[in-house]
Amino acid sequence: MKWIRSFHPGRRAILAAALATLSGASAVPTTGGQDGPAAAGRADPPTLEGWTRGKGWGWIWGPKDEVGSLNAMSDRSRGEALRLASEGKSYDLGQAYSRRSFRWAGHNPGEVMTFRSPDRIAAMGDPDAPPPGTNPDRIHWHSCALFISDNVGTQIDGLGHVTAGADDHWYNGFTEADWGGDFGIRKCDATTIPPIIARGVMVDVAAWKGVDALPAHTVITAEDLQAALDRQGVAIRPGDVVLIRTGAGRYWGDEGADHETIAEHDSAGLDLAATRWLVEQQGAMMVGSDTSGFEVSPPPPGTGSMIPVHKYLLVDQGVHIGELHNLEALSRDEVFEFCYVASTNKIKGTTAGFALRPIALR
Amino acid sequence: MKWIRSFHPGRRAILAAALATLSGASAVPTTGGQDGPAAAGRADPPTLEGWTRGKGWGWIWGPKDEVGSLNAMSDRSRGEALRLASEGKSYDLGQAYSRRSFRWAGHNPGEVMTFRSPDRIAAMGDPDAPPPGTNPDRIHWHSCALFISDNVGTQIDGLGHVTAGADDHWYNGFTEADWGGDFGIRKCDATTIPPIIARGVMVDVAAWKGVDALPAHTVITAEDLQAALDRQGVAIRPGDVVLIRTGAGRYWGDEGADHETIAEHDSAGLDLAATRWLVEQQGAMMVGSDTSGFEVSPPPPGTGSMIPVHKYLLVDQGVHIGELHNLEALSRDEVFEFCYVASTNKIKGTTAGFALRPIALR
Amino acid sequence: MKWIRSFHPGRRAILAAALATLSGASAVPTTGGQDGPAAAGRADPPTLEGWTRGKGWGWIWGPKDEVGSLNAMSDRSRGEALRLASEGKSYDLGQAYSRRSFRWAGHNPGEVMTFRSPDRIAAMGDPDAPPPGTNPDRIHWHSCALFISDNVGTQIDGLGHVTAGADDHWYNGFTEADWGGDFGIRKCDATTIPPIIARGVMVDVAAWKGVDALPAHTVITAEDLQAALDRQGVAIRPGDVVLIRTGAGRYWGDEGADHETIAEHDSAGLDLAATRWLVEQQGAMMVGSDTSGFEVSPPPPGTGSMIPVHKYLLVDQGVHIGELHNLEALSRDEVFEFCYVASTNKIKGTTAGFALRPIALR
Amino acid sequence: MKWIRSFHPGRRAILAAALATLSGASAVPTTGGQDGPAAAGRADPPTLEGWTRGKGWGWIWGPKDEVGSLNAMSDRSRGEALRLASEGKSYDLGQAYSRRSFRWAGHNPGEVMTFRSPDRIAAMGDPDAPPPGTNPDRIHWHSCALFISDNVGTQIDGLGHVTAGADDHWYNGFTEADWGGDFGIRKCDATTIPPIIARGVMVDVAAWKGVDALPAHTVITAEDLQAALDRQGVAIRPGDVVLIRTGAGRYWGDEGADHETIAEHDSAGLDLAATRWLVEQQGAMMVGSDTSGFEVSPPPPGTGSMIPVHKYLLVDQGVHIGELHNLEALSRDEVFEFCYVASTNKIKGTTAGFALRPIALR
């Protein structure tokens, strides 16, 4: 198999140790000096404020914090990331959203409706229309009204999206009783997500497996990720935005209207161990993928819920999740390292950035 | 007055010539060699593909084009702009939008509504909720449904927003009969606006005038802009994103709830001549401001409509307009030149990017 | 077969003559004196202002009329209808609508969202909430926001719902260019539908055929209707509201969530000839059924469109159509004649009354 | 003063006794035999199942009941009410609702948006449109999408609209924790409001006072009501729907767009004592008015909340409240007694019937 040839034994040892850590009670990192030359070439990732190897991030930014791991961004880290963009090439990672787009059935459907239109404004002559005498050039306008979910299209899940426990708490212990509301959440809404500018690493799992897209329900493991990274010759560093390509994004097309095909491939994703490896061993500051859920669906049995990875990332670690990112052009051009730039809508109460257009810069 | 001292006579002459051009039938640029040393220091801005001094942009990108002046972006121009971001400093130019935010009365109101919430999902046990047996960790979620206009909050007007003439055409001659629709416009919707990465120049008119914010209905002229630029020691170059600060943005606060104060100051803006000077003489690829309309309201008499500047920019020139940009921090830090990065939502049919969070990078 | 036994030959002759009329160019009624005793028992229905046998209704109420055949209601006709309600029994003909309800895919989906809720109003303390000092009894409230189509649930289609021809006209010649709009239609909207109080006749086709519900795509003919009426011993009179029971309504249940079963049976309905017989020979002032479309779907080939019956009723005749009426209890109790009372929502611009609860009174 | 002349002393005594009861702890009715001839002419209203003089209704219909006092309707009561409609005259009591209509600021705004329109369906040729080959008659359609509150226009408040106490309970003890939800309330939603058919009595307070409309904040007392009833020569009977006319409805006009005038007069209404008199002494099964809130606003000091009458009626008594009923034509024609017929939308979760069109029949 392709991945066996490209997978260095020494790296396997590191990974095994790391995975052992993840599954044990110990939080002590075990990446060790006993590794051979191949491993030596992979120096321990440098540390970063807020991040601890073997532990990741967590509720470490003070009791009022709503930002989580993105607090680790600094002028220095942004500056370094931006220097990756020396060519001035820009990749639009957004998938176009429309009323016909695939979405999770538990979110509300959407409509984009022409609200005002020039011919009708002229015909109606309603109070909002310009009086004809003031409008010899016949200037009118279009606007749209949207009914839309804050969890559709290319997204970044906010830290209040998922809750856990009897008190329905989210990141940093904010509870429904205290911070829920009729108009969305009142802590960790999308307005608290700062513009994200960081080194991005795309892990092309589909390319590494040599498939158009991973089959339905494929579990992506830490070993898969390491193997794909090795093939790419790129290492993750603490503070990175790590985007996983399953290939499902290729079926989005113009507006994500082929629900059946998308839904099938959309179910591939990471398991909890792979996610923990990314966060606790590699220092991912944010993770994402080209599917709507990032994690494999359904999760392996015994994981505590249908979305254990969401709970781990958003609630426990304070790590945002990017979803439905279009990684096709990056894959085609074999762009594995870039400057990732994303800024969500700034709408109070919303639980995620939606219908976004993140950018990868080279 | 402050601006007289900082305004060089030679530059006045250039400006006068330019303004004469704007008001005449001739499209030949007249910035000339008769100017003294001061003018000599202001070399003609370099040219750029698609832009012609004295003419600006226009319908020059082919009959199918939906992008307008943003076509002038290139890897080279983006690379140059990104090199302005050497410090890694990031300014969030978005104003937070909520149900209470100021908006133009002709756009639909908005609501951000809690759609799913953890306690209720648990209590309701409806078909979308996870069966309790599969959910020992009691993991639930929040999501919001939004009813919202595509013309609220920090915006970038698309080239199909405004129409003109008996055929209700917009940029590049797309007409309502051919390209209107029930679900928004079918040419020049916001999905066609590429990620914008360009040199940004902020013209702090309020600071130059020494006021918190310009009084209601203040007309900003080309002379004002030149004077403010001179004070700042910054020149516009073809291909720039030019953002005008009136100071109105300081009244937005947490969510734009003080409609009365915002509305008053929101009426200051550029007249058509100043806008033409930016586009035709200076080469602005995109313009914007901290108000909801960019242009002065009401316009001077005899301008053909209530929004002559919108018509000129969007329909005739194919130049996008940024609105309600938060320029307060840039003003405070005297950041007049930066890398402007903005990407709109990617929603089919929409006429503008809305509730955005553009970034200024230094 | 059951229906043969109950179908009188003389009536067959009347019906044949009537159907011949419908298919010919002649508008002269041919119900004649050559019929035998059985037919003699069926006296010609009395005439009614506005209605002409063999022609029906039409654009006869003046160029400004938006009401159509419902103009035929009078104090006298209402009084007579109300006298049918001597027992004081009330049947609720509405089907409950929810986010999960079956609807035609071309209409927008719907959501009923909790907008304000007592615990959250108290927790949020937002400007709309009562200040605690004024609220010692802790009084709060619930309200809902709805995103909904005006063509869902138990409906009465308005006369502007369907358009025809190159000028996109509807009833009485109102055209899109003149009377369309951004906020719904400006002629024949649901506010123009008067409270409907008339004699109602339910034609239980499913019971006559001895089936739970008609199979998919069943064409209901005029002969079927006459046979079912004969079985019931009830005759239609000019000015009646005639409701056809296919049995599809029995699958609606609590909220119309079983889309597959409903969709299958929902396709049974009248063809154009049967509809014309109801209107032109029997004088139906309004027609309706327990399906979402009244007419059979798809229509027989060569009928000019997918909805020839809608076009005939709404555009040509000015006859409103009732849809998704719950006729199950009427069938169970064999109530075939009653006082029908319905009043639509009074919302400007809407094209139909929706999620209604018409009443049958005995 | 006019009302003194028409107010019989004996009746005053009854009223005084009744009011004494209302303000005291005693629940024992005190309408007594000691009254003189005038009072003797006013026989005690007959009793009705569920209603107790001096107590009214309440939580008496069993622990699962969601209907409240409307349970008192019977075939007999409906039959009697319908017999009032001998003339066949119909009065439409609905006010037309539009995006411009007056509403309480705490409810969400509304829009009625053209969703599909014939010219655009034809031009777009989207998947929902009929293929041209199947549509030689060019048949298309209009539909609207609505974003709307369930508390606008002519309304009937449901028994779950208002909550009280630390457990946020509504009628019959249903609590938010148990029966709240994301999609509206799950007990006492509008689908549980049966079609209402009852004797209606309109109390024309404005006419009795000889004014167009009551001044802002006018408190309507039980004495006022009795006086107006005396003037009209009509008595309330247990089981009646009692509608109070303040005259505010005359300012609604075409669509309720004159917010200022409406808001001013909208503040007149009943105080708690008058409401208790209607329910506990007169046996009103439902009450209503031509204002948006029925009760006087603000309430007299010390009443426990801003809406003590709502709490009393909806929570404690289980009595529905009709609001914004158009009583102008009834007043003009001096129709004080009629058959009231109303049926709300049948939408799951909703807290009120909205934009209704109740009918008064004579």
mmCIF file of all heavy atoms in Angstrom, chain D residues 335-352:
data_model
loop_
_atom_site.group_PDB
_atom_site.id
_atom_site.type_symbol
_atom_site.label_atom_id
_atom_site.label_comp_id
_atom_site.label_asym_id
_atom_site.label_seq_id
_atom_site.Cartn_x
_atom_site.Cartn_y
_atom_site.Cartn_z
ATOM 1 N N VAL D 335 -74.781 47.466 16.388
ATOM 2 C CA VAL D 335 -74.947 46.026 16.573
ATOM 3 C C VAL D 335 -74.231 45.656 17.865
ATOM 4 O O VAL D 335 -73.006 45.650 17.920
ATOM 5 C CB VAL D 335 -74.355 45.237 15.387
ATOM 6 C CG1 VAL D 335 -74.418 43.745 15.669
ATOM 7 C CG2 VAL D 335 -75.080 45.600 14.107
ATOM 8 N N PHE D 336 -75.004 45.408 18.899
ATOM 9 C CA PHE D 336 -74.415 45.152 20.207
ATOM 10 C C PHE D 336 -74.466 43.680 20.591
ATOM 11 O O PHE D 336 -73.805 43.252 21.511
ATOM 12 C CB PHE D 336 -75.127 45.996 21.268
ATOM 13 C CG PHE D 336 -75.093 47.469 20.962
ATOM 14 C CD1 PHE D 336 -76.268 48.202 20.842
ATOM 15 C CD2 PHE D 336 -73.876 48.131 20.772
ATOM 16 C CE1 PHE D 336 -76.244 49.554 20.549
ATOM 17 C CE2 PHE D 336 -73.843 49.492 20.478
ATOM 18 C CZ PHE D 336 -75.027 50.208 20.367
ATOM 19 N N GLU D 337 -75.258 42.944 19.904
ATOM 20 C CA GLU D 337 -75.434 41.521 20.198
ATOM 21 C C GLU D 337 -75.378 40.763 18.879
ATOM 22 O O GLU D 337 -76.045 41.150 17.918
ATOM 23 C CB GLU D 337 -76.806 41.305 20.855
ATOM 24 C CG GLU D 337 -77.065 39.886 21.244
ATOM 25 C CD GLU D 337 -78.530 39.680 21.666
ATOM 26 O OE1 GLU D 337 -79.403 40.423 21.164
ATOM 27 O OE2 GLU D 337 -78.781 38.785 22.482
ATOM 28 N N PHE D 338 -74.607 39.715 18.832
ATOM 29 C CA PHE D 338 -74.395 39.033 17.553
ATOM 30 C C PHE D 338 -73.824 37.642 17.827
ATOM 31 O O PHE D 338 -73.530 37.289 18.979
ATOM 32 C CB PHE D 338 -73.425 39.838 16.673
ATOM 33 C CG PHE D 338 -72.220 40.346 17.420
ATOM 34 C CD1 PHE D 338 -71.095 39.542 17.557
ATOM 35 C CD2 PHE D 338 -72.232 41.609 18.039
ATOM 36 C CE1 PHE D 338 -69.996 39.993 18.274
ATOM 37 C CE2 PHE D 338 -71.138 42.054 18.756
ATOM 38 C CZ PHE D 338 -70.015 41.245 18.882
ATOM 39 N N CYS D 339 -73.677 36.895 16.750
ATOM 40 C CA CYS D 339 -72.983 35.622 16.861
ATOM 41 C C CYS D 339 -71.528 35.854 16.488
ATOM 42 O O CYS D 339 -71.226 36.296 15.373
ATOM 43 C CB CYS D 339 -73.613 34.598 15.919
ATOM 44 S SG CYS D 339 -72.758 33.010 15.940
ATOM 45 N N TYR D 340 -70.640 35.603 17.425
ATOM 46 C CA TYR D 340 -69.201 35.789 17.192
ATOM 47 C C TYR D 340 -68.617 34.469 16.727
ATOM 48 O O TYR D 340 -68.821 33.436 17.371
ATOM 49 C CB TYR D 340 -68.538 36.242 18.501
ATOM 50 C CG TYR D 340 -67.038 36.412 18.428
ATOM 51 C CD1 TYR D 340 -66.476 37.601 17.964
ATOM 52 C CD2 TYR D 340 -66.173 35.408 18.867
ATOM 53 C CE1 TYR D 340 -65.102 37.780 17.916
ATOM 54 C CE2 TYR D 340 -64.799 35.577 18.824
ATOM 55 C CZ TYR D 340 -64.267 36.771 18.341
ATOM 56 O OH TYR D 340 -62.907 36.944 18.309
ATOM 57 N N VAL D 341 -67.932 34.521 15.588
ATOM 58 C CA VAL D 341 -67.289 33.315 15.041
ATOM 59 C C VAL D 341 -65.828 33.630 14.756
ATOM 60 O O VAL D 341 -65.517 34.587 14.034
ATOM 61 C CB VAL D 341 -67.967 32.861 13.730
ATOM 62 C CG1 VAL D 341 -67.255 31.633 13.158
ATOM 63 C CG2 VAL D 341 -69.442 32.560 13.958
ATOM 64 N N ALA D 342 -64.946 32.869 15.357
ATOM 65 C CA ALA D 342 -63.516 33.076 15.096
ATOM 66 C C ALA D 342 -62.815 31.738 15.143
ATOM 67 O O ALA D 342 -63.120 30.896 15.980
ATOM 68 C CB ALA D 342 -62.906 34.014 16.136
ATOM 69 N N SER D 343 -61.897 31.557 14.203
ATOM 70 C CA SER D 343 -61.050 30.372 14.287
ATOM 71 C C SER D 343 -59.635 30.809 13.968
ATOM 72 O O SER D 343 -59.397 31.510 12.992
ATOM 73 C CB SER D 343 -61.532 29.272 13.346
ATOM 74 O OG SER D 343 -61.508 29.683 12.019
ATOM 75 N N THR D 344 -58.721 30.435 14.833
ATOM 76 C CA THR D 344 -57.340 30.875 14.663
ATOM 77 C C THR D 344 -56.643 30.011 13.622
ATOM 78 O O THR D 344 -57.110 28.936 13.272
ATOM 79 C CB THR D 344 -56.557 30.741 15.974
ATOM 80 O OG1 THR D 344 -56.427 29.349 16.274
ATOM 81 C CG2 THR D 344 -57.262 31.449 17.106
ATOM 82 N N ASN D 345 -55.511 30.474 13.174
ATOM 83 C CA ASN D 345 -54.616 29.633 12.389
ATOM 84 C C ASN D 345 -54.353 28.382 13.195
ATOM 85 O O ASN D 345 -54.405 28.394 14.419
ATOM 86 C CB ASN D 345 -53.267 30.329 12.175
ATOM 87 C CG ASN D 345 -53.423 31.763 11.732
ATOM 88 O OD1 ASN D 345 -53.478 32.640 12.573
ATOM 89 N ND2 ASN D 345 -53.521 31.955 10.438
ATOM 90 N N LYS D 346 -54.024 27.332 12.496
ATOM 91 C CA LYS D 346 -53.764 26.054 13.167
ATOM 92 C C LYS D 346 -52.287 25.705 12.968
ATOM 93 O O LYS D 346 -51.941 24.849 12.160
ATOM 94 C CB LYS D 346 -54.693 24.999 12.569
ATOM 95 C CG LYS D 346 -54.906 23.804 13.479
ATOM 96 C CD LYS D 346 -56.105 22.989 13.059
ATOM 97 C CE LYS D 346 -56.364 21.829 13.997
ATOM 98 N NZ LYS D 346 -57.613 21.126 13.634
ATOM 99 N N ILE D 347 -51.452 26.425 13.699
ATOM 100 C CA ILE D 347 -50.006 26.309 13.534
ATOM 101 C C ILE D 347 -49.402 25.871 14.861
ATOM 102 O O ILE D 347 -49.553 26.569 15.877
ATOM 103 C CB ILE D 347 -49.399 27.655 13.094
ATOM 104 C CG1 ILE D 347 -50.047 28.118 11.787
ATOM 105 C CG2 ILE D 347 -47.883 27.542 12.930
ATOM 106 C CD1 ILE D 347 -49.580 29.481 11.313
ATOM 107 N N LYS D 348 -48.731 24.761 14.851
ATOM 108 C CA LYS D 348 -48.209 24.213 16.100
ATOM 109 C C LYS D 348 -47.179 25.158 16.727
ATOM 110 O O LYS D 348 -46.326 25.699 16.038
ATOM 111 C CB LYS D 348 -47.574 22.856 15.848
ATOM 112 C CG LYS D 348 -48.606 21.817 15.423
ATOM 113 C CD LYS D 348 -48.065 20.415 15.483
ATOM 114 C CE LYS D 348 -48.139 19.878 16.873
ATOM 115 N NZ LYS D 348 -48.125 18.405 16.949
ATOM 116 N N GLY D 349 -47.264 25.291 18.030
ATOM 117 C CA GLY D 349 -46.303 26.101 18.760
ATOM 118 C C GLY D 349 -46.703 27.535 18.961
ATOM 119 O O GLY D 349 -46.225 28.186 19.885
ATOM 120 N N THR D 350 -47.571 28.055 18.099
ATOM 121 C CA THR D 350 -47.894 29.480 18.181
ATOM 122 C C THR D 350 -48.652 29.815 19.458
ATOM 123 O O THR D 350 -49.425 29.012 19.968
ATOM 124 C CB THR D 350 -48.711 29.953 16.966
ATOM 125 O OG1 THR D 350 -49.829 29.081 16.782
ATOM 126 C CG2 THR D 350 -47.864 29.946 15.713
ATOM 127 N N THR D 351 -48.443 31.023 19.928
ATOM 128 C CA THR D 351 -48.987 31.449 21.210
ATOM 129 C C THR D 351 -50.255 32.267 21.063
ATOM 130 O O THR D 351 -50.858 32.652 22.063
ATOM 131 C CB THR D 351 -47.940 32.287 21.963
ATOM 132 O OG1 THR D 351 -47.778 33.529 21.282
ATOM 133 C CG2 THR D 351 -46.615 31.555 22.033
ATOM 134 N N ALA D 352 -50.622 32.547 19.832
ATOM 135 C CA ALA D 352 -51.820 33.343 19.595
ATOM 136 C C ALA D 352 -52.277 33.107 18.169
ATOM 137 O O ALA D 352 -51.497 32.686 17.315
ATOM 138 C CB ALA D 352 -51.528 34.836 19.794
#
